[in-house]
Amino acid sequence: MNVDHSENIILRNIIANPIYLEICKPDFFKSDSFQAIFKITKIFWDKYHEVPTADQLKESIRLDKDTKDRIEPGEIDGIYSIDLIKYQDDWLKETTELFIEYKNLTKSAVDAIGYIQKTSVNSENIKNVIETFKNIV
């Protein structure tokens, strides 16, 4: 699934629909700045139970020592300038949810492979290893 061209629209839709803030993770985004924008948006949502405006997000980023140097104010303006009304609701929902599902799948696969590579398997623990592997995926 190649969603590189759509990540800016997906991020904007996630910001506009807080239900996605609960199931998405910063590392789903390839761009370091998008990861930081998502992280600060999620922190803002958790604290105030509302989505930040572009100005609130800029100020929150300015105050956050870990993210302030990773994001240019123009990037936030670029995300917030995306007019979601131009896109069909069904397309936005499907694209965003497929993005999240795909990123969860790839993260689980990587975690599962890492687990197998780091785990010593023998006849005594093979069933537990397999069960743990299945739970990861």
Side-chain angles (χ1 to χ4, degrees):
M1 176 179 205
N2 184 359
V3 294
D4 291 346
H5 69 284
S6 301
E7 273 197 15
N8 54 351
I9 298 166
I10 291 168
L11 178 58
R12 180 65 187 111
N13 193 44
I14 288 170
I15 292 170
N17 294 283
I19 190 165
Y20 296 127
L21 291 172
E22 300 300 327
I23 57 175
C24 191
K25 295 177 178 56
D27 62 347
F28 285 5
F29 298 97
K30 289 183 180 180
S31 162
D32 191 45
S33 60
F34 279 20
Q35 290 176 12
I37 289 169
F38 175 85
K39 178 185 158 212
I40 296 298
T41 301
K42 174 83 166 92
I43 290 169
F44 191 95
W45 169 257
D46 289 344
K47 185 172 183 177
Y48 300 109
H49 303 290
E50 63 182 47
V51 174
T53 65
D55 288 335
Q56 288 171 322
L57 186 58
K58 287 177 196 175
E59 185 63 17
S60 295
I61 288 167
R62 189 185 70 74
L63 296 172
D64 186 275
K65 62 180 167 83
D66 294 331
T67 58
K68 68 180 178 181
D69 296 328
R70 294 170 44 193
I71 303 167
E72 296 294 324
E75 290 181 280
I76 295 166
D77 292 333
I79 295 296
Y80 275 80
S81 71
I82 295 170
D83 184 3
L84 294 177
I85 299 297
K86 293 181 180 180
Y87 302 93
Q88 293 177 332
D89 288 339
D90 290 345
W91 181 86
L92 285 169
K93 182 180 188 305
E94 180 179 333
T95 302
T96 302
E97 290 176 3
L98 287 174
F99 171 81
I100 292 168
E101 287 176 20
Y102 176 74
K103 294 297 184 168
N104 271 316
L105 173 67
T106 56
K107 184 176 182 340
S108 295
V110 168
D111 291 347
I113 290 169
Y115 170 73
I116 289 296
Q117 289 174 336
K118 293 176 184 173
T119 303
S120 177
V121 180
N122 57 48
S123 60
E124 294 174 8
N125 71 354
I126 186 68
K127 289 185 180 188
N128 287 337
V129 170
I130 291 170
E131 191 61 34
T132 300
F133 180 86
K134 287 178 182 179
N135 288 334
I136 292 172
V137 177

